[in-house]
């Protein structure tokens, strides 16, 4: 059984997370490129070709930005971290750093189910890591300055679980329905909006 031994404050872990998310978002930009010296027709064609890259970039910026915000929210009120919290957090940061790769697959081969499955799997894995960290911290009040309200904690865990479930079900379904299953991800917009308002009301 895992023994919780406090290992200092969360400041260094939060600083590491800020750096990883910033670098991951920056790496997304490196694939946006239009060659020099193009004729007008070639220029328009190059812009058309970069549109999928822009779409994948915008999607991943929204995903990574949301997870960065949620990571900060998870550690709000945390006084100390232990080894398990550190391991789960670093595992999640490793997945976050990996997101530019499936983003590139989605941009260049978005019509192939494997690309959509790889992207959805990465996002689901990142969400699962955040959910695990939040669940561990919820069960260890000695690591916090205060104990969050039970309703607020439950809503946050439900919010994180919703992301994991939506992206996880995409992985098998994309091989049945095709890449159009990506539209399912839009259900997260109203779902997260509703849960976010409920969380603020109980915060």
């Amino acid at each position: 059984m895992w023994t919780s031994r406090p290992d200092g404050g969360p400041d260094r872990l939060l600083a590491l997370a800020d750096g990883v998310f910033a670098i991951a978002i920056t790496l997304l930009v490196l694939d946006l490129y239009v060659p020099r010296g193009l004729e007008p027709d070639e220029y328009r064609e190059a812009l058309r070709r970069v549109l999928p890259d822009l779409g994948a970039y915008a999607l991943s910026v929204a995903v990574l930005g949301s997870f960065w915000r949620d990571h900060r929210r998870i550690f709000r009120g945390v006084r100390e971290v232990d080894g398990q919290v550190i391991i789960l957090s670093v595992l999640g940061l490793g997945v976050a750093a990996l997101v530019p790769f499936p983003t590139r697959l989605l941009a260049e081969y978005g019509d192939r189910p494997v690309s959509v499955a790889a992207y959805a799997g990465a996002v689901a894995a990142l969400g699962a890591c955040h959910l695990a960290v939040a669940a561990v911290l919820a069960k260890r009040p000695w690591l916090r300055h205060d104990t969050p309200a039970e309703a607020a904690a439950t809503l946050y865990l439900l919010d994180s679980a919703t992301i994991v479930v939506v992206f996880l079900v995409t992985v098998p379904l994309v091989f049945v329905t095709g890449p159009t299953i990506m539209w399912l991800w839009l259900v997260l917009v109203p779902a997260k909006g509703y849960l976010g308002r409920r969380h603020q009301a109980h915060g």
Side-chain angles (χ1 to χ4, degrees), residues 78-93:
V78 172
R79 178 171 51 87
E80 291 183 299
V81 294
D82 61 16
Q84 190 174 18
V85 171
I86 293 173
I87 290 173
L88 291 172
S89 295
V90 171
L91 181 61
L93 294 177

Side-chain angles (χ1 to χ4, degrees), residues 154-170:
T154 301
L155 284 169
Y156 182 79
L157 293 175
L158 180 60
D159 188 359
S160 298
T162 301
I163 298 173
V164 175
V165 169
V166 169
F167 277 94
L168 195 58
V169 299
T170 302

Side-chain angles (χ1 to χ4, degrees), residues 120-135:
V123 175
L126 181 54
C129 290
H130 278 225
L131 180 60
V133 172

Side-chain angles (χ1 to χ4, degrees), residues 19 55 129 171 173 175 202:
C129 290
V171 176
L173 287 180
F175 295 102
H202 289 86

Side-chain angles (χ1 to χ4, degrees), residues 7-18 71-72 74-82 85-86 89 133 137 143-145:
D7 190 21
D11 293 345
R12 286 180 296 175
L13 190 58
L14 289 173
L16 175 63
D18 289 346
H71 189 267
R72 304 288 293 190
I74 289 171
F75 284 90
R76 186 181 302 159
V78 172
R79 178 171 51 87
E80 291 183 299
V81 294
D82 61 16
V85 171
I86 293 173
S89 295
V133 172
L137 288 171
L143 296 177
R144 307 184 62 90
H145 290 293

